[in-house]
Amino acid sequence: MRDVVVIGGGLAGLISAHQLASAGLDVLLVEKKSYPFHRVCGEYISNEVLPFLNANNLFPEELAPVQISRFSLTSVNGKEGRLKLDLGGFGLSRYNFDNYLYASAKHKGAEFQLNTSVKSASFQHDRFEVVLSNGTELEARIVIGAHGKRDRLDREMNRDFFQKRTPYLGVKYHIKYDMPEDLIALHNFQGGYCGISHVEGSRLNLCYLSERANLRSFGSIPEMERGVLYRNPFLKDIFTQGEFLFDSPKVINEISFATKKPVEGHMLMAGDSAGMITPLCGNGMAMAIHSGKVLSELVVDYFADHRERLKLEATYSREWHKLFAKRLWIGRRIQSLFGGVFHSNVAVNLARSVKPVAKFLVSKTHGKPF
């Protein structure tokens, strides 16, 4: 019997495990891969997370995160607008940051089962029965679902969003390219958009979201990039002048921005498992960290005060919606301004000519420092 089993070792899962173990709870985190490893992710973190990370000695100063304070937006046909980011953020690879948080959580006493997935997690008699891919069977009082955007477990739970096909795929590279360190750029192309910003080690993270129709039309990722992304002159320069450091791109399919529930089958969802903000907003990592913080605090209170499970679930749902639901909704609305010639030109003209409005929209996808 465990106090808590955390399914998934991304930012939300690792933060939850760290905080729960720090409070003295018996925590096991199950992760299908082994650290360190790359994730398809924008790798930009809003500075709203700094008070929390600093207060818990979780800001990885030794990894030399890159400070980012400016934003560039380009349209499909290469028009550009720039904004200053009032709050700013930092660039850091998931390869190193996740590994850093993994070591920190282990140091606090969290246990890990790596290279293992969860086959099922069923609730009965006020506890969970968790079955792992290696045949191990566990019991837990609380289960946190931090398994990411889309997982076999979602299918097993018959979650609504899993039944709907989504038109997007994500592709990620690390590259070397001449670009100012303090700048994060978002480049539009037909049917998608590409973010690029510095991470540690004089590298840049390049990650794009594309409609799968682009891939079907061209047959392969390199051909799609030449046939679609190169139409934006900024992207053509990046792809032809940059030094690509991976042997092959990291790719993820079936990315869903559909509404999800923060509690399903008594499982408490965190990070992308509870809802994913559109990547163009550049704030998914901060939201994952924040959701792990909020959830772990409520779970610690639940064990300390012997609260009722339904009260825990209702409180978390309320807090999650208060913090994130509006940001996700706004992100989905803003997404309509991207991925096409006309709308991307409108967005760039907004960034050029009506900066207060553009800054207002950016601020609405970010939270306050916590």
Side-chain angles (χ1 to χ4, degrees):
M1 171 64 73
R2 300 279 184 165
D3 288 335
V4 184
V5 169
V6 180
I7 304 172
L11 293 178
L14 289 166
I15 291 295
S16 297
H18 179 277
Q19 296 301 97
L20 294 170
S22 298
L25 295 178
D26 177 18
V27 183
L28 173 70
L29 187 150
V30 183
E31 165 56 48
K32 65 178 65 175
K33 295 183 180 181
S34 183
Y35 300 100
F37 60 92
H38 289 285
R39 295 181 185 272
V40 178
C41 177
E43 300 189 332
Y44 164 84
I45 310 177
S46 163
N47 280 337
E48 67 195 72
V49 306
L50 290 182
F52 168 75
L53 294 181
N54 288 328
N56 291 276
N57 296 314
L58 288 175
F59 184 75
E61 191 70 48
E62 60 267 41
L63 296 180
V66 179
Q67 299 304 309
I68 295 170
S69 58
R70 294 185 298 145
F71 172 59
S72 168
L73 176 67
T74 72
S75 66
V76 171
N77 54 7
K79 292 183 178 179
E80 183 186 23
R82 292 196 177 189
L83 292 173
K84 184 179 184 300
L85 294 171
D86 291 336
L87 190 58
F90 58 94
L92 187 63
S93 72
R94 294 293 299 275
Y95 186 89
N96 283 323
F97 192 29
D98 286 23
N99 194 48
Y100 174 87
L101 294 175
Y102 162 62
S104 299
K106 279 188 72 176
H107 179 72
K108 290 295 184 179
E111 294 185 39
F112 287 79
Q113 181 75 56
L114 302 179
N115 300 310
T116 307
S117 59
V118 172
K119 293 179 65 177
S120 64
S122 56
F123 182 81
Q124 52 188 327
H125 309 303
D126 201 37
R127 64 187 60 190
F128 286 88
E129 293 182 359
V130 181
V131 180
L132 306 184
S133 57
N134 60 13
T136 301
E137 297 182 3
L138 306 169
E139 288 189 334
R141 293 179 175 85
I142 295 289
V143 168
I144 292 174
H147 46 272
K149 303 171 180 65
R150 188 179 180 90
D151 188 84
R152 182 179 64 180
L153 187 62
D154 294 314
R155 181 181 62 197
E156 296 297 323
M157 296 175 67
N158 199 32
R159 299 184 75 188
D160 289 343
F161 82 91
F162 199 88
Q163 314 307 319
K164 304 168 186 173
R165 296 299 302 273
T166 59
Y168 301 111
L169 67 102
V171 180
K172 167 185 167 176
Y173 301 93
H174 277 181
I175 69 172
K176 290 192 174 181
Y177 177 73
D178 185 16
M179 176 175 141
E181 274 201 351
D182 66 339
L183 186 70
I184 181 170
L186 185 68
H187 301 296
N188 278 271
F189 56 88
Q190 191 65 46
Y193 40 85
C194 175
I196 181 169
S197 58
H198 278 270
V199 293
E200 75 284 359
S202 301
R203 293 169 294 146
L204 292 98
N205 180 65
L206 183 154
C207 192
Y208 67 81
L209 185 80
S210 172
E211 293 178 354
R212 285 206 311 270
N214 284 335
L215 182 59
R216 286 195 297 269
S217 296
F218 289 88
S220 70
I221 286 177
E223 288 300 320
M224 177 185 72
E225 290 167 350
R226 285 189 285 270
V228 180
L229 277 69
Y230 281 29
R231 296 176 194 171
N232 182 323
F234 287 88
L235 285 174
K236 183 177 182 179
D237 190 74
I238 291 167
F239 275 87
T240 56
Q241 301 303 315
E243 177 188 354
F244 283 67
L245 305 177
F246 292 164
D247 292 333
S248 59
K250 312 300 178 186
V251 182
I252 186 171
N253 283 297
E254 295 284 356
I255 299 174
S256 174
F257 306 114
T259 302
K260 302 176 184 177
K261 297 176 183 177
V263 180
E264 293 221 28
H266 299 284
M267 189 184 298
L268 306 169
M269 303 295 180
D272 288 344
S273 298
M276 182 180 171
I277 196 165
T278 52
L280 62 92
C281 297
N283 214 27
M285 293 173 70
M287 286 178 57
I289 292 169
H290 201 172
S291 67
K293 169 190 180 291
V294 170
L295 179 52
S296 58
E297 289 172 348
L298 293 174
V299 171
V300 169
D301 289 344
Y302 168 81
F303 280 100
D305 301 337
H306 305 287
R307 294 183 177 180
E308 297 177 3
R309 182 182 300 276
L310 293 180
K311 185 176 181 181
L312 165 65
E313 295 173 2
T315 303
Y316 177 58
S317 292
R318 184 172 61 251
E319 289 297 307
W320 191 93
H321 281 98
K322 183 170 70 174
L323 288 169
F324 306 122
K326 188 173 182 181
R327 290 162 69 178
L328 295 177
W329 183 89
I330 291 173
R332 290 192 290 270
R333 304 289 84 74
I334 292 176
Q335 188 179 27
S336 64
L337 295 175
F338 295 82
V341 175
F342 174 78
H343 287 117
S344 64
N345 277 325
V346 169
V348 169
N349 288 335
L350 197 66
R352 280 178 166 181
S353 307
V354 198
K355 291 186 185 294
V357 174
K359 285 188 173 185
F360 174 77
L361 292 174
V362 170
S363 71
K364 289 303 178 183
T365 64
H366 288 63
K368 293 180 171 55
F370 61 89

